[in-house]
Amino acid sequence: MNVINHSNQEIIRLVHPYACSTFSHELEVQSPPGVAIGHVRQNWHVCLPKLTVENERGEPAFKIVGPCVAFFTDENFELVSLNGAAIDRPFGKIFKPFSCCGLNAGADFVVRFPSNLDFKMKATLLGACILIDFIYYDKPKNPVNFVVNLFNVDCLRLRM
């Protein structure tokens, strides 16, 4: 998948290699294309969705832990420290809103993180959001256009 800016230049490439096992998904985030800036790896767990976010060298930076089962509520995937304990204050989260009305109506996912987070980790979290959608919710879709404000640009287009 490619992320392009308003000038139609590819700024991020998300590489999801084919995996034979449904329990071992991974995604490499590249920017510029061809240069790895982060990885997201699924960690197998019998009940909870768990992923590890890694830097460009493949070193774990933090984990993402999702809900076991959520009905009629937002589905929160929380960003937690490597030892699994939540940070003193909310570190961030990726969530899939349940509400069919209100502020997040129609949003597939919302990503929240500290504003001072390194841009490479912001891009990697965008990749994590796409991987979560792929693994737990959807099948591959047609090209999608949406507005994000992660990198001080007005519009990013995803090519799937």
Side-chain angles (χ1 to χ4, degrees):
M1 177 184 305
N2 305 322
V3 180
I4 59 176
N5 65 11
H6 57 83
S7 300
N8 212 28
Q9 295 176 316
E10 183 179 9
I11 57 172
I12 299 172
R13 181 177 294 160
L14 305 175
V15 180
H16 180 237
Y18 174 76
C20 294
S21 169
T22 58
F23 303 111
S24 178
H25 288 276
E26 64 180 70
L27 182 91
E28 181 178 80
V29 180
Q30 302 174 352
S31 183
V35 178
I37 61 168
H39 301 86
V40 183
R41 299 188 197 285
Q42 180 184 22
N43 304 335
W44 189 86
H45 189 275
V46 70
C47 180
L48 296 175
K50 291 188 173 194
L51 300 106
T52 300
V53 176
E54 301 172 347
N55 64 19
E56 65 270 15
R57 294 177 301 280
E59 301 166 341
F62 50 88
K63 294 186 178 197
I64 299 173
V65 179
C68 185
V69 177
F71 296 105
F72 307 110
T73 184
D74 290 348
E75 297 181 28
N76 294 305
F77 291 80
E78 297 183 357
L79 308 182
V80 296
S81 65
L82 290 175
N83 66 9
I87 306 294
D88 294 344
R89 54 193 165 99
F91 178 85
K93 65 181 173 178
I94 298 171
F95 69 98
K96 186 170 181 65
F98 167 72
S99 177
C100 59
C101 57
L103 180 62
N104 295 324
D108 285 339
F109 287 88
V110 177
V111 182
R112 294 195 175 144
F113 47 78
S115 60
N116 63 349
L117 190 65
D118 179 65
F119 79 93
K120 293 177 183 178
M121 286 293 105
K122 290 178 184 179
T124 304
L125 281 177
L126 175 63
C129 184
I130 303 290
L131 188 62
I132 287 169
D133 185 41
F134 178 80
I135 295 171
Y136 301 108
Y137 298 103
D138 283 337
K139 302 292 182 224
K141 300 178 183 178
N142 292 328
V144 177
N145 292 324
F146 66 97
V147 175
V148 293
N149 192 9
L150 297 178
F151 310 101
N152 296 325
V153 296
D154 294 328
C155 181
L156 297 175
R157 185 180 317 144
L158 293 178
R159 288 186 185 159
M160 299 175 146

